[in-house]
Structure formats: structure tokens, C-alpha cells
């Protein structure tokens, strides 16, 4: 039995587990099931028996060798899980043992068991599907922090999101509409644009057929948008800034289109624009705990009540993680891809 520095459910737990490992950095084919030790937990951690694990773009980037796990984090991929807490550290409240939770993890989600700080867990009621719960933490934490905290979103404002049918994009649409914002998104084909409209987007732009700057300015009657949530970066940044209203905020969360941008700084000054961005994974446990508290108070009840639900794409068995990554990288998905562990 894995004592793991803390209190353990009386059920016997195995010493080893199945997890998805990598033979070397590379394409999806490098992913394969392997048997490794069940993770040890620290005094503030819980051990979760994983029912479902979410698949996210950073997993693909890590698999390719470009996004190493932070110091001390599991090398196993996977930033979000849902399941049952089967072991708790010495400093964890006793009521966490046996609880159904969704958790933001520092890594290790693609496995039968995953360790996470207990304060990064959100409670999953009995009538909430664990598959749905597993699809929420990474995008929910990311969108809440970047749109509502760093982007200072307010009721009545307008948000522009690129990649509108991604996990991040669909979450951004839902949360923005829940807080009475207008949402403009860009997608690469009409089917995805239509899907985004059904989710709640006020305007969906096919960027392959229409210049998104022109479309945004036409839709807003030249006023522009208040916030851009940017996952592209590169040469999109100067175009994004043209879309911003005075005192607009540009928030970068990924650099899928390039790591450098050339800006016309006088426009930034004259229009009082704010350029910011963040990466969630390297932030401290204390920061993520505070973020979880905010989400628990402000947003989580919208999902546990069923008022909001993540847009689900496909579910793959854990052993088919390579196929899940291939689907994500092909850009075919609308919403969240998850892995099932049972």
C-alpha cells in the first residue's frame, strides 16, 4: 500500500499504475502506455483515482519537446483530471478523502492515479458527469484569469477570441456570455463558425475568407473591441491592436503563430492600450489556490448547476492518447477532447 506521507483510504492500492509515457519527444506516435509507480503525495496533496483526463494544447507542445514540466512536476502529460480522492496528505482536511473532484494538476493526468494540491481541486456533485468535470479545469482557470482578471472584463464589453472552437475558445464564449459580454470569434471554416454561433458567439468570422480586422470594425461600427484573447501571437498582434478600442486590453496566452511581433508603439500610447499575457502552469501553488477559490465562488456553480456545460468533442481510451493528440493537432475538434480511464 502506498502510504505517501499521509492518510490513505483503507482500500488497498497498487504500487504501480498504467500511464502514458513518451519514448522521446516527437509526434503523437511517441506516446505509449507504460507501467510506472503510483505517485507519492506531499502533506498538502491528494491522490486522485482518475476517471477522465482532459487533453490540452500544452500537452501536445510538451510532447513535442517544447514545454518541459516545471521542476518537481510529474513528467507524465495531463493538466486536468476528474475522479475520486483515494489518499490525502497530512495537512489535507479529512473530508477530502473519498470526495469526487475535478483538479488542475501540475502534470501526471494521463494515468490511473494523479497527485494534485488539494486546494487546486473543485468539488464535483454526484449528479455531475465526471467526464464533463474533467473537461473544465484547464480552460476555466485559464479563461477566468486571463479574460476576467488580467483582461479586466466587464459587463457590456466586447471580446475577440481567435480559435473560437478550441477548448479555450468555447470556454471564453460561454463565460463571456454568462457575464453579459459581446463575443466575436475567428475560425478557419464555416462549419466551425456555425458551431461557435450555436455556442453563443455574436459574430463568427472565417479568417480564410474575410479580413478579421475589417469584419470586427464593421461589426462594432469602428468602435473596436475591449479585449482580445490571443493564442496566435506573431503577425496577428499588430492586427489585433487595430481591432482594439481606446483603453483596450490585449491578452496573450499562446504563441502558436510565432514568438515575435512588430508593433507601432505610438498607437499603443495614443490609444492607451494594455498588452499583457500569462502562462498558468509555472505559477505558484498559492496563486493557483487563490484562483481556484475565485472560480469556486464566481463560476463553478454555473457548471455544477448545469446552467453551463463544456462543449465536448471526442472521448478516447487512455491507451489511444496518440489518436487524441493527432485529432487535436489536425484542428478537427470542436470543444474538449478527453481520455477515459475505465
Amino acid at each position: 500500500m502506498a502510504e505517501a506521507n499521509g492518510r490513505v483510504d483503507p482500500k488497498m492500492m497498487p504500487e504501480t499504475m498504467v500511464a502514458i509515457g513518451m519514448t522521446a519527444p516527437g509526434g503523437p506516435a511517441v506516446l505509449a502506455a507504460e507501467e510506472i509507480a503510483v505517485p507519492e503525495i506531499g502533506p498538502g496533496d491528494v491522490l486522485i483515482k482518475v476517471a477522465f483526463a482532459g487533453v490540452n494544447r500544452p500537452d501536445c507542445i510538451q510532447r513535442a519537446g517544447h514545454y518541459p514540466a516545471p521542476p518537481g512536476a510529474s513528467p507524465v502529460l495531463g493538466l486536468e483530471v476528474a475522479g475520486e480522492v483515494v489518499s490525502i496528505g497530512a495537512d489535507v482536511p479529512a473530508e477530502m478523502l473519498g470526495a469526487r473532484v475535478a483538479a488542475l494538476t501540475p502534470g501526471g493526468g494521463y494515468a490511473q492515479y494523479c497527485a494534485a494540491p488539494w486546494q487546486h481541486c473543485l468539488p464535483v456533485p454526484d449528479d455531475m458527469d465526471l467526464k464533463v468535470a474533467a473537461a473544465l479545469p484547464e480552460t476555466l482557470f485559464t479563461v477566468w484569469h486571463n479574460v476576467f482578471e488580467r483582461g479586466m472584463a466587464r459587463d457590456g464589453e466586447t471580446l475577440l477570441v481567435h480559435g473560437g472552437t478550441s477548448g479555450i475558445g468555447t470556454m471564453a464564449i460561454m463565460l463571456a456570455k454568462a457575464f453579459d459580454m459581446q463575443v466575436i470569434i475567428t475560425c478557419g471554416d464555416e462549419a466551425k463558425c456555425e458551431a461557435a454561433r450555436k455556442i453563443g458567439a455574436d459574430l463568427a468570422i472565417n479568417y480564410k475568407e474575410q479580413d478579421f480586422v475589417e469584419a470586427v470594425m464593421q461589426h462594432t461600427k469602428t468602435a473596436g473591441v475591449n479585449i482580445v484573447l490571443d493564442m496566435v501571437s506573431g503577425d496577428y498582434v499588430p492586427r489585433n491592436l487595430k481591432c482594439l478600442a481606446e483603453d483596450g486590453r490585449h491578452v496573450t496566452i499562446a504563441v502558436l503563430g510565432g514568438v515575435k511581433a512588430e508593433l507601432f508603439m505610438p498607437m499603443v500610447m495614443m490609444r492607451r492600450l494594455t498588452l499583457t499575457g500569462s502562462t498558468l502552469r509555472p505559477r505558484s501553488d498559492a496563486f493557483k489556490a487563490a484562483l481556484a477559490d475565485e472560480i469556486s465562488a464566481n463560476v463553478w456553480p454555473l457548471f455544477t448547476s448545469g446552467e453551463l456545460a463544456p462543449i465536448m468533442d471526442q472521448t478516447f481510451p487512455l491507451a489511444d492518447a496518440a489518436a487524441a493528440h493527432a485529432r487535436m493537432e489536425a484542428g478537427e475538434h470542436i470543444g474538449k477532447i478527453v481520455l477515459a480511464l475505465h
Side-chain angles (χ1 to χ4, degrees):
M1 183 184 296
E3 285 296 333
N5 303 323
R7 294 161 284 176
V8 180
D9 192 340
K11 303 182 204 122
M12 292 294 292
M13 288 194 301
E15 296 290 340
T16 62
M17 65 179 183
V18 175
I20 297 299
M22 298 192 303
T23 52
V30 303
L31 298 178
E34 61 182 18
E35 191 166 312
I36 63 173
V38 171
E40 298 286 314
I41 57 172
D45 295 337
V46 295
L47 186 68
I48 301 165
K49 184 177 183 181
V50 179
F52 295 92
V55 177
N56 293 281
R57 180 68 65 170
D59 302 341
C60 297
I61 299 171
Q62 182 179 343
R63 185 212 70 230
H66 305 306
Y67 190 41
S74 170
V76 174
L77 302 178
L79 301 175
E80 60 185 350
V81 300
E84 179 188 353
V85 175
V86 293
S87 176
I88 58 176
D91 297 340
V92 178
E95 59 267 25
M96 289 294 291
L97 191 62
R100 285 162 43 100
V101 298
L104 183 74
T105 76
Y110 292 13
Q112 290 177 309
Y113 295 90
C114 180
W118 78 271
Q119 290 173 307
H120 301 179
C121 297
L122 297 165
V124 178
D126 290 342
D127 60 353
M128 186 178 187
D129 189 339
L130 285 170
K131 178 165 69 172
V132 168
L136 288 168
E138 173 69 10
T139 56
L140 187 52
F141 277 65
T142 298
V143 172
W144 182 257
H145 176 55
N146 287 286
V147 174
F148 292 88
E149 293 184 341
R150 302 196 73 80
M152 298 177 287
R154 299 291 180 269
D155 292 5
E157 291 193 324
T158 302
L159 169 70
L160 170 63
V161 183
H162 296 298
T165 53
S166 66
I168 292 286
T170 53
M171 176 62 73
I173 294 170
M174 286 189 293
L175 287 189
K177 297 309 295 182
F179 289 91
D180 297 320
M181 297 178 69
Q182 293 283 304
V183 186
I184 301 172
I185 63 91
T186 66
C187 293
D189 61 55
E190 182 52 36
K192 289 187 175 182
C193 285
E194 182 56 30
R197 294 183 195 106
K198 288 179 179 176
I199 297 165
D202 297 284
L203 176 66
I205 304 164
N206 182 342
Y207 65 82
K208 292 181 180 176
E209 295 184 353
Q210 190 175 12
D211 181 85
F212 73 80
V213 177
E214 291 179 8
V216 165
M217 298 311 285
Q218 181 179 348
H219 181 79
T220 61
K221 298 181 172 59
T222 73
V225 302
N226 305 101
I227 307 166
V228 175
L229 183 63
D230 174 44
M231 293 175 266
V232 183
S233 197
D235 61 9
Y236 261 50
V237 178
R239 298 171 70 195
N240 290 339
L241 298 191
K242 290 179 181 178
C243 295
L244 281 174
E246 290 190 348
D247 298 299
R249 288 86 73 193
H250 184 280
V251 189
T252 298
I253 59 170
V255 290
L256 300 175
V259 297
K260 294 184 179 180
E262 187 171 319
L263 306 180
F264 184 63
M265 294 308 294
M267 182 176 70
V268 174
M269 295 186 292
M270 289 185 290
R271 299 175 69 190
R272 302 177 303 281
L273 305 181
T274 299
L275 278 69
T276 185
S278 73
T279 54
L280 182 60
R281 194 177 187 188
R283 297 299 295 270
S284 70
D285 285 351
F287 171 83
K288 293 175 188 175
L291 190 53
D293 286 344
E294 276 209 19
I295 287 167
S296 183
N298 292 289
V299 196
W300 192 240
L302 297 175
F303 291 95
T304 57
S305 68
E307 182 178 338
L308 295 181
I311 307 303
M312 305 298 288
D313 185 71
Q314 285 190 20
T315 302
F316 293 82
L318 179 67
D320 291 345
H325 275 222
R327 179 167 178 79
M328 173 164 279
E329 293 191 326
E332 297 169 351
H333 62 297
I334 294 176
K336 289 290 297 197
I337 299 169
V338 297
L339 301 174
L341 283 96
H342 57 72

